[in-house]
Amino acid sequence: MARPGCVAVSGNHFRITLMAEKLNFTVDLEDGVFVARCIELDIVTDGLTKAEAVENLKEALDCYFANPDERLERRLQGADDEDDAG
């Protein structure tokens, strides 16, 4: 059963709306575990059921978007480190 904000597009491809962002994800059964992958952000979670894998993906995306300033700062520091190495 699809939850609000989670819409099946076709087959195992879905679209999730989170904080006004539309992200696409897939859910596949791999070695007895459901694996949910956010295509745009390369974030992957798993679960024993399809619903659990999707719920875990939503939680991971919530964490990802929780503090974008801190994430940007870490990225910029990494870029500065690469510039120093070159």
Side-chain angles (χ1 to χ4, degrees):
M1 180 174 160
R3 294 183 47 197
C6 180
V7 178
V9 177
S10 67
N12 65 339
H13 290 80
F14 302 85
R15 182 168 297 124
I16 187 171
T17 302
L18 184 68
M19 296 179 5
E21 291 284 330
K22 289 188 189 249
L23 302 170
N24 296 294
F25 67 97
T26 61
V27 181
D28 299 295
L29 184 59
E30 298 180 9
D31 298 322
V33 177
F34 288 92
V35 178
R37 289 181 179 84
C38 176
I39 297 166
E40 291 84 359
L41 299 175
D42 198 30
I43 294 175
V44 180
T45 63
D46 63 17
L48 297 177
T49 66
K50 187 183 237 182
E52 182 181 29
V54 171
E55 190 61 36
N56 290 342
L57 182 62
K58 288 181 180 185
E59 288 178 19
L61 291 168
D62 281 341
C63 290
Y64 179 85
F65 288 113
N67 196 345
D69 293 335
E70 181 180 309
R71 199 172 52 256
L72 177 60
E73 186 176 316
R74 282 196 311 262
R75 269 194 167 163
L76 291 174
Q77 286 175 350
D80 289 343
D81 292 345
E82 290 174 11
D83 290 342
D84 293 341

